[in-house]
Amino acid sequence: MATEKVKVLGFWPSPFVMRARIALNMKSVEYEFQEENVMVSKSDLLLKSNPVYKKIPVLIHADRPVCESLIIVQYVDEVWASGPAILPSDPYDRATARFWATYIDDKWFPRLFAILLSEGEEAKKAAEESGEGLVLLEEAFTKCSKGQKFFGGERISYLDIALGCFLAWTRVIEKMGNVSLIDETKTPNLFKWAHHFCADDAVKDVMPDTDKLYHFSKFLVSKVKGSAAQK
Amino acid sequence: MATEKVKVLGFWPSPFVMRARIALNMKSVEYEFQEENVMVSKSDLLLKSNPVYKKIPVLIHADRPVCESLIIVQYVDEVWASGPAILPSDPYDRATARFWATYIDDKWFPRLFAILLSEGEEAKKAAEESGEGLVLLEEAFTKCSKGQKFFGGERISYLDIALGCFLAWTRVIEKMGNVSLIDETKTPNLFKWAHHFCADDAVKDVMPDTDKLYHFSKFLVSKVKGSAAQK
């Protein structure tokens, strides 16, 4: 099955789409990327492949869709099991990586984007809470990495992908919101980790350009705040 | 490691705690259950073991805590790997089970409890949406089970646990909200599945008594609606 055709439905600014692409790159899997500008429209293939959420990313492997980025990463790890491991091998380390990945999606990421998409006191509070979340993630990094480059050791793995996909957005949001999130003072280990992550072979070609993302984020803000003003 | 001491911090009405207990029962793992009446207080052990969420369930295995019910279930499956498998063996089936389990937690369960904890139009809308969710889950069951008793075949597995832990609550909420959710007409396959699930050896001793849960739910509603009225 591992040799069947692979396709990713995605949109270049999406951090979640990046996860699927990094996982495939780690396993040296060739895939077709179908750009889905979800700000404008959604293809029939996307609607058919993810009828519940109608969201990107979708991985289509051997004509069968897999949805939800963290589930896709685990699927890629299991199907192409002979490539470099993405999930840690030890069950406790796996549980820890899954815990923090879920924390990132459920708690941290919504606060990060609230810096961008809300205003005044709410944006200020979101910046504070994002910073507190990063301090927790810094502590998790220190425990998990045991002095090595990445969360799981000397190579990127599941939790690196889960958090690292937000690095370009974090830089853009720092600039847009005039805040400092990942820096040498508050999160020195994550600061170093971010450099290692962005330079990784599986990552560097799918990490969006910060300037391009900055312009996209201005468009996104105007669209979200514009539609909020119309309500 | 699999022979080390196992403890579950939980509270009897919690569907999420049930997940951890069913997984341990499936693997015939003996464990100590520490009742945490989180409506009243939280033990120091709970606060220390789950400092991020301060929530049950926590599985403590060899003095190390594992949090979040679906992560606990996967951990139990991986540590006691020689027992009956909980996750399906095929990567695509695993991805499908993970997708629907996440759907249950993120989308369906909040709507189910909104029937109980909201009022008027909001409760009515929640009942409709819960029903729509169950129709999706009925379709998923039909596809996954391929005519067998459970989502994954002739034995309970991951997705059975993820949904089945809500069965007692579903019965109580049907009674409290005067609605029908899992019934022979709208979800005939889930209706039959529910009977099989509740009769399973790994399940029957940890499934809360419906009458006891009904009284607890009245207390919960008065507490939640009471504190909402005070705001």
Side-chain angles (χ1 to χ4, degrees), chain B residues 176-214:
Chain B
M176 293 278 287
N178 195 25
V179 290
S180 179
L181 294 167
I182 297 181
D183 66 32
E184 278 185 282
T185 315
K186 286 181 283 186
T187 55
N189 287 326
L190 286 184
F191 185 77
K192 270 182 267 173
W193 161 82
H195 284 278
H196 292 307
F197 184 79
C198 293
D200 190 272
D201 280 342
V203 173
K204 58 188 180 192
D205 293 337
V206 293
M207 182 67 76
D209 176 76
T210 315
D211 285 341
K212 195 177 164 196
L213 197 62
Y214 179 72

Side-chain angles (χ1 to χ4, degrees), chain B residues 5-12 14 16-25 29-36 43 45-46 49 55-61 64-66 69 72 76 80 206:
Chain B
K5 198 176 151 192
V6 180
K7 191 171 193 168
V8 173
L9 310 185
F11 184 33
W12 70 268
S14 163
F16 302 105
V17 171
M18 245 189 101
R19 289 178 175 167
R21 303 185 82 176
I22 294 170
L24 290 166
N25 287 349
V29 176
E30 285 193 19
Y31 63 93
E32 182 191 338
F33 184 73
Q34 179 171 314
E35 186 79 8
E36 293 271 347
S43 72
L45 184 60
L46 173 57
S49 303
K55 283 194 322 196
I56 49 165
V58 177
L59 174 82
I60 301 176
H61 178 217
R64 296 190 300 183
V66 182
S69 65
I72 293 172
V76 168
W80 289 276
V206 293

Side-chain angles (χ1 to χ4, degrees), chain B residues 64-223:
Chain B
R64 296 190 300 183
V66 182
C67 305
E68 299 285 272
S69 65
L70 291 176
I71 295 173
I72 293 172
V73 172
Q74 290 178 85
Y75 175 80
V76 168
D77 196 30
E78 291 168 5
V79 169
W80 289 276
S82 60
I86 299 177
L87 269 287
S89 59
D90 175 73
Y92 193 79
D93 294 340
R94 290 163 84 92
T96 304
R98 286 184 175 126
F99 175 84
W100 287 112
T102 307
Y103 171 81
I104 288 162
D105 281 10
D106 291 354
K107 299 288 169 194
W108 182 73
F109 143 73
R111 304 316 297 149
L112 177 72
F113 274 69
I115 301 173
L116 195 66
L117 301 174
S118 59
E119 289 184 87
E121 279 305 309
E122 201 183 326
K124 202 178 151 193
K125 195 173 167 224
E128 279 168 19
E129 289 172 349
S130 299
E132 287 161 11
L134 286 167
V135 170
L136 285 182
L137 289 162
E138 169 87 4
E139 287 170 17
F141 180 84
T142 309
K143 266 194 197 171
C144 294
S145 66
K146 302 181 186 96
Q148 296 175 93
K149 273 187 189 171
F150 297 105
F151 276 94
E154 287 299 334
R155 285 190 306 103
I156 64 166
S157 62
Y158 188 66
L159 188 46
D160 299 288
I161 300 174
L163 183 61
C165 71
F166 291 106
L167 282 172
W169 272 107
T170 302
R171 292 293 168 237
V172 165
I173 290 168
E174 283 177 324
K175 192 174 169 184
M176 293 278 287
N178 195 25
V179 290
S180 179
L181 294 167
I182 297 181
D183 66 32
E184 278 185 282
T185 315
K186 286 181 283 186
T187 55
N189 287 326
L190 286 184
F191 185 77
K192 270 182 267 173
W193 161 82
H195 284 278
H196 292 307
F197 184 79
C198 293
D200 190 272
D201 280 342
V203 173
K204 58 188 180 192
D205 293 337
V206 293
M207 182 67 76
D209 176 76
T210 315
D211 285 341
K212 195 177 164 196
L213 197 62
Y214 179 72
H215 285 101
F216 175 79
S217 77
K218 290 217 266 192
F219 165 71
L220 180 71
V221 167
S222 70
K223 189 146 177 160

